[in-house]
Amino acid sequence: MKYVVVTGGGMSGLGKGVTSSSVGVLLQACGLRVTCIKIDPYLNIDAGTMSPFEHGEVFVLQDGGEADLDLGNYERFLDVTLTSDNNITTGKINRTVMEKERRGAYLGKTVQVVPHVTDEIQDWIQRVAHAPVDVCVIELGGTVGDIESCPFVEALAELSYRVGDFCLIHVSHVPVLSAVGEQKTKPTQHSVRTLRSLGLAPNILACRSNSPLEGYAREKLARSCHVSSGNVLSLHDVGKNVWRVPILLRDQKAHEAVLRVLNLDVKEPDLKEWTARAELFDALVEPVRIALVGKYMGLTRINKDAYFSVEKALMHASVALRKNFFSQNPNAYKAAWNKLKGADGILVPGGFGDRGVEGKILAAKHARENRIPYLGICLGMQVAVIEFARSVLLDMQDANSTEFDAETKNPCVVFMPEGSRTHMGGTMRLGSRRTYFHHDNHVGCMAARLYGNVSYVDERHRHRYEVNPEMVARFEEAGLWFSGRDESGERMEIVELGEHPFYVGVQFHPEFKSRPGKPSPVFTGGKKNSDLN
């Protein structure tokens, strides 16, 4: 097994996830089989209980694992399906070590960070990175030198000696001070010095900067960090089009540098399809405006990351349909309504808690009454049901979800009976579940047509509340049709409004399986590239 480890120094937010994914794309394009592991040094078992305001999106994996959004980057870039084992956290490692200690697995020895914790980390990595994979790309979250990442750095240092074929890529910042006007290499030099003091030496430097790395900066970094100048890569900004990053790396022969360190035959990557998609994205002109009516909105990058997969799914769909996608997510009430009224479509994504829900209900009402295309995801589907009950069913003006009003007399959305009210982490309905399409007494089923008229579809879920099955018959009598249900037929998965051009709500999260070149059908409205010819 060959290993590529990506670390970051100096500051967070440098793009280690995109770098790791892009290196994986290059190696895949060279004909190698690639998997990815994300190491998150926090004490949480997983990302499931973290606030999107603080940590960004929680990405749901096929087996129900709740993980950092970088796992979504890996899946989208590499078109692979990962599991919760591909995400290592301090919480998971400590729990495993403590369980072993309680079983007496350490035979009475004093349990220590070295060797017991570091051995567990290495064993976990090697268990995940098994055949038929050729290369495992490992991203170490956080910043080198952080106290919480020290056991992982030590474990990776030990692993590098144990396995031999080990390539370390260090991502660091090369800033330009406005008063001086030149690229400064000292932050990267100090970052590499910290890394070396912890037992790891970089084979490749990936330098993040606003503009291409200057020759003098490249030579200075190569000399001071003991790396050949050909292994000092410029990871300058590429704008909105992150699909340009693998191409940027290929043009600098990054694949050759990695393959040589791993003692593999140097090959030229085949990025024809990838390059064509990146160029198409840059050439899109005709706009489409989608109002994203979320609740985790703000002015910082991390707030934007709260709906990271939703925005990527919209991007995949817009490229497939040759549209230039604009996401609108204003905060001020008046500005929000002006944006909403000018949108070509409205998307209400998932979320938890009652903050902002009434605004989402108004957005669903606006879409329904004005025949604007509407897609509701998870909470967005429940919001559509609540709005329909309040506006169409005459005696349900106070309809609500028990999540927002536990005493509501008309609970359209209720807590699922198998859920836990005392424990938060890992207790939701999670992971891939099957949805069956229902055509009973209806001429057609829009949801089934979106997916190519199949009888069922498997999508990923993350929710505690569901549409009240006792009210389904009344909704359907009034024209709101539940066209997708689980295997029991009692849990509602898809809702649609028959007399509307496109009014669809899904309980699952289709954005988690959207891929470049293979957008989710509910985001494209079932249209394909061939429909545009």
Side-chain angles (χ1 to χ4, degrees), residues 506-525:
V506 293
Q507 187 59 70
F508 46 81
H509 287 267
E511 70 271 22
F512 291 141
K513 292 180 70 173
S514 180
R515 302 286 184 268
K518 294 188 288 185
S520 168
V522 297
F523 281 86
T524 62

Side-chain angles (χ1 to χ4, degrees), residues 25 83 218 222 232 255 365 385 445 468 483:
V25 168
T83 70
R218 187 187 302 271
V232 179
H255 56 288
K365 180 182 179 68
V385 172
C445 172
N468 189 345
S483 56

